[in-house]
Amino acid sequence: MEPKLIPYSKQRYSAEETKARSIEHLNFMEGRRTVREFSSEPIDFKVIENIIMAASTAPSGANKQPWTFCVVTNAALKSKIRIEAEKEEYESYTNRMSDEWLEDLSHLGTDWQKPFLEEAPALIVVFRRPYELVDGKKRQNYYVYESVGIAVGYLLEAIHYCGLVALTHTPSPMNFLSTLLQRPENEKPFLLIPIGFPKEVTMVPNIKRKTKDLVIVKYDNF
Ligand SMILES: Cc1cc2nc3c(=O)[nH]c(=O)nc-3n(C[C@H](O)[C@H](O)[C@H](O)COP(=O)(O)O)c2cc1C
């Protein structure tokens, strides 16, 4: 296929503005936290839709956009998801996770119980699509994990930008989500993300983020 190119222009800022914007954005992102205690206050569906469409602007291998975002607000379905997630999480916390893993999780205070799956007003269930079915034939998608991971990063940032909070949850294994949400065979569950407003008094673990000397390696004289 012949490539079709269109003009693209990007707003430029002065050096000072660029620096100010980078600081402002960093400060904003430093305020994002994973929250596990949600108020039941509903969210306007239009807001959820916009957040998801912001996520869907993410780059992806060969522009295949290999993701589907399912939004669950139905109370009965949220309850079923909680029951199945807790079954798996009980098994993981009591039998499947190594001692090292449990030790690494201990500072977060998490356990097999997942009340937030019912308390949060909405659950966004992200599916990755390893391939598409076009006229009954499989068409491969590329760098699916990388692409969907970036899209979820955008999703989390959009949620934070709108003044909402989220939990990146990975009940393991997650196959029950395909069954409960009746997803097609070319979709695999990737993450389960409750979103909403935090409870009036919400506690989060006192975590430390790595400092720049541990995160950045320079190969030039900046
Ligand atoms: C891929 C991934 C899976 C995660 N799975 C869970 C989970 O199943 N349950 C949970 O409570 N937190 C989970 N988290 C949240 C992390 O514990 C949290 O991001 C980390 O402790 C840093 O805290 P912060 O997000 O507030 O900066 C997960 C995060 C990521 C990125």
Side-chain angles (χ1 to χ4, degrees), residues 1-159:
M1 205 192 290
E2 276 296 298
K4 256 199 200 144
L5 304 181
I6 54 170
Y8 173 72
S9 63
K10 168 91 186 145
Q11 185 174 355
R12 281 291 304 255
Y13 302 103
S14 68
E16 299 83 73
E17 270 178 297
T18 303
K19 197 188 255 177
R21 287 175 69 87
S22 71
I23 294 169
E24 189 191 345
H25 187 250
L26 171 59
N27 290 339
F28 168 71
M29 290 308 291
E30 277 177 340
R32 185 208 55 79
R33 287 304 312 272
T34 291
V35 162
R36 298 174 180 84
E37 297 173 85
F38 293 84
S39 104
S40 57
E41 195 181 333
I43 315 170
D44 182 340
F45 187 75
K46 193 72 208 161
V47 171
I48 301 178
E49 211 172 74
N50 290 336
I51 285 168
I52 291 173
M53 292 319 289
S56 199
T57 65
S60 61
N63 190 31
K64 293 284 190 160
Q65 305 168 53
W67 45 67
T68 302
F69 296 86
C70 297
V71 184
V72 181
T73 53
N74 177 281
L77 192 49
K78 284 196 291 178
S79 252
K80 282 186 188 163
I81 291 176
R82 177 181 176 183
I83 290 168
E84 293 304 315
E86 286 188 337
K87 266 190 218 160
E88 296 297 356
E89 290 288 89
Y90 180 81
E91 204 42 41
S92 293
Y93 274 87
T94 48
N95 294 318
R96 292 196 283 238
M97 286 173 177
S98 65
D99 289 344
E100 184 182 347
W101 193 346
L102 289 170
E103 191 188 317
D104 283 339
L105 285 177
S106 60
H107 72 290
L108 300 175
T110 54
D111 60 28
W112 63 269
Q113 294 178 85
K114 308 295 169 190
F116 48 74
L117 292 175
E118 285 184 286
E119 288 163 3
L123 308 177
I124 300 180
V125 190
V126 187
F127 288 84
R128 64 183 167 87
R129 300 168 66 101
Y131 59 91
E132 302 298 326
L133 282 170
V134 182
D135 301 328
K137 278 201 193 132
K138 282 188 184 182
R139 289 292 303 232
Q140 199 61 42
N141 289 334
Y142 310 98
Y143 299 110
V144 171
Y145 283 94
E146 292 85 346
S147 303
V148 184
I150 293 170
V152 169
Y154 282 28
L155 184 86
L156 296 176
E157 179 159 354
I159 290 168

